[in-house]
Amino acid sequence: PDEALRHYQTSLRLAPDEARTHNNLAILWGQKGDDETALSHYAEAVRLNPRNLSARRNLDRMERLCGRCEEDR
């Protein structure tokens, strides 16, 4: 995932308004266990393209997961 992260981060610098890039970065950050960064990228993907159902589902799932994580603390 580290190499993929570098590639997507470069892509994001070149096209910061690309919702798919934010969604893909969020997936990778989630895989690395950085839920807050993942949430941020999912939210940005949805903001940029509210019709992106994949990003919306991913954001919803991550918000529920993070809510459960907060309750466990």
Side-chain angles (χ1 to χ4, degrees):
D2 290 335
E3 185 174 343
L5 273 172
R6 285 191 297 275
H7 288 291
Y8 279 116
Q9 288 169 328
T10 298
S11 177
L12 194 60
R13 280 193 293 278
L14 297 172
D17 294 334
E18 180 56 55
R20 287 178 296 175
T21 302
H22 281 283
N23 188 60
N24 291 335
L25 272 169
I27 291 167
L28 291 170
W29 282 116
Q31 289 172 351
K32 289 181 69 68
D34 189 339
D35 295 341
E36 291 301 317
T37 301
L39 267 172
S40 173
H41 282 288
Y42 283 135
E44 184 65 4
V46 170
R47 185 189 73 76
L48 290 168
N49 184 1
R51 294 183 185 153
N52 183 331
L53 295 179
S54 176
R56 290 174 63 179
R57 280 192 299 263
N58 290 338
L59 176 61
D60 183 54
R61 182 179 44 83
M62 183 61 77
E63 286 176 334
R64 286 193 317 261
L65 176 66
C66 285
R68 272 188 249 128
C69 292
E70 289 295 319
E71 291 171 6
D72 292 342
R73 290 184 190 168

